[in-house]
Amino acid sequence: MNAKRQNNQMHLAFSTTPASEANRTAEQGTEASTAERTTESPASSARLMEVICEPENIREAVKRVCANKGAPGIDGMTVDALTGYLQAHGEEIRVRLLNGTYQPRPVKRVQIPKPDGGTRQLGIPTVLDRVVQQAALQVLQPIWEPTFSEHSFGFRPNRSAHQAVAKAQAYVAEGRGWVVDIDLEKFFDRVNHDMLMARVARRVKDKRVLKLIRAFLNAGVMENGLGGLVTWDGEGTPQGGPLSPLLSNIVLDDLDKELEQRGHAFVRYADDCNIYVRSQRAGQRVMEAVTGFITRKLKLKVNQSKSAVDRPGKRKFLGFSFTPGKQPKRRIAPKALARCKDKIRELTRRTRGIDAVRLVTELSNYLRGWIGYFGFCQTQSVLRDLDSWIRRRLRAVVWKQWKHGPRRYRELVRRGVGRDLAAITAAMHHHPWSASRVAALNIALPNSLWIRLGLPTLTRPSKA
């Protein structure tokens, strides 16, 4: 096989030339499934696995997994090693999928801190398992997507957290001045596998696909690396795999349909669900009824300590809150703003000992992502104050690094400060934070300096 042909086969991933009677049967099945899809939906087909294994679908899955990068699973394989591995083993993997014998590896458990304290457990599948999950997702998601609720915004094509927040804002503007804020306790850890599989089986008839999904649910968790214990308790969809968000939406679609049937105005993003009502009394009735449905029908638990009936301005939804009044504005929730400041304090510690260019680079990388999300707020004064506070933090760092009077004097003069003002300022014994607001430092380290170094400005026109 020449180099060009070999490269093409590598990118086809699971679609190399069959070498056995079983493989020939699989190829025939793929051709048949392609023809069948012109007359019946993949969901009704018993040959859905052939659709999942189609070359174009696999190519797209590999492309997306590589683009997402991510850490290796328990086998240590990196995304960079994926194409080479598929070149050598792609046909073997494809046959196992088509025969229903593919067995996922356990996920690697990692703990990440939650914004409001505690930790969230992520399960990192192997790179190969991520490709298989992504390939399955690309075929399965279109089966459910047309029937999902218009009130559901999480992990869905062409839908976003900003759309969910804007929808919630519209409900408040309509006069729904109370929110039933429901927090599901450890949702991803508590999803019942049998209940989930029953819902999937309503639309998926290919037993190999059902077996594959069940295998991913049952794959278990590897604790503390390869020497750890593989555990499984019959519940949960580990966060971290491409398929988990769809499976969670399938479970919670029952909640959406129930709320729609009752005529509620609600917004759901993954396991965050807010229902908007016109009075506190109505909110308490809704909270009691919906909690009962979640407990009895979905076999899930509402976290009573984090759930509440309250004014929308006193609760947060996806990091945002709303100002009171007939024309509520989106504002950054206090806890989200506090987390931002904590991160900035960490990055601008005066004991880090790094130069201003590197400091601004690191800070800018964080701020661009942050403003890309929270720039959706409509309270620009908060962003202006944050801009000013960040620049003071940077001036305090530089003042600390100049250390002593003679150097401070020289640096101030070199940056355009008059000699008398520079001498007075250099002789100050102020704390760096107090010094950061004096006139000489604003002259020596003006806003334009930080802009030239790449620091983004947080204020921008508010979005509608």
Side-chain angles (χ1 to χ4, degrees), residues 388-397 433-434 436-437:
S388 177
W389 181 78
I390 291 170
R391 291 190 292 264
R392 279 195 65 188
R393 294 283 305 180
L394 291 171
R395 291 185 184 108
V397 169
W433 179 246
S434 299
S436 67
R437 67 187 305 171

Side-chain angles (χ1 to χ4, degrees), residues 74-85:
I74 64 168
D75 61 356
M77 184 191 298
T78 64
V79 170
D80 293 337
L82 177 60
T83 52
Y85 183 86

Side-chain angles (χ1 to χ4, degrees), residues 82-274:
L82 177 60
T83 52
Y85 183 86
L86 291 177
Q87 180 182 351
H89 303 283
E91 180 59 20
E92 174 190 346
I93 297 164
R94 181 175 182 274
V95 170
R96 293 209 307 269
L97 286 168
L98 292 170
N99 289 343
T101 58
Y102 183 87
Q103 185 59 47
R105 303 288 299 276
V107 300
K108 181 169 69 174
R109 176 166 287 171
V110 296
Q111 309 270 351
I112 62 170
K114 295 175 68 174
D116 53 354
T119 59
R120 174 179 287 112
Q121 296 180 347
L122 289 186
I124 302 177
T126 65
V127 173
L128 177 58
D129 284 342
R130 296 208 292 269
V131 170
V132 174
Q133 285 196 38
Q134 180 64 39
L137 173 67
Q138 291 164 186
V139 173
L140 294 173
Q141 188 160 39
I143 295 172
W144 271 273
E145 182 59 30
T147 63
F148 278 152
S149 170
E150 64 176 89
H151 302 274
S152 167
F153 291 86
F155 309 118
R156 296 182 59 192
N158 303 315
R159 288 182 165 244
S160 69
H162 285 173
Q163 291 174 336
V165 172
K167 184 69 173 177
Q169 181 183 14
Y171 285 140
V172 178
E174 291 174 0
R176 301 177 188 275
W178 292 86
V179 60
V180 182
D181 186 355
I182 297 175
D183 183 272
L184 297 178
E185 185 173 299
K186 297 182 177 179
F187 166 73
F188 286 93
D189 296 332
R190 294 184 182 274
V191 174
N192 182 276
H193 290 178
D194 291 337
M195 181 176 292
L196 169 58
M197 290 308 303
R199 283 158 175 73
V200 175
R202 292 172 186 170
R203 302 191 188 185
V204 173
K205 305 306 178 186
D206 191 327
K207 293 183 179 180
R208 295 166 299 174
V209 177
L210 296 174
K211 182 179 178 181
L212 178 66
I213 296 173
R214 174 76 78 167
F216 276 118
L217 293 173
N218 291 350
V221 177
M222 185 69 74
E223 302 276 9
N224 302 320
L226 292 175
L229 174 68
V230 177
T231 60
W232 171 73
D233 58 8
E235 292 183 333
T237 59
Q239 292 176 266
L243 201 52
S244 291
L246 173 62
L247 298 179
S248 67
N249 272 335
I250 290 173
V251 171
L252 291 176
D253 189 54
D254 281 13
L255 174 60
D256 297 340
K257 296 298 190 289
E258 178 69 15
L259 295 178
E260 287 177 342
Q261 186 175 352
R262 297 184 184 195
H264 290 309
F266 72 98
V267 184
R268 184 177 66 80
Y269 191 96
D271 56 337
D272 288 332
C273 184
N274 279 6

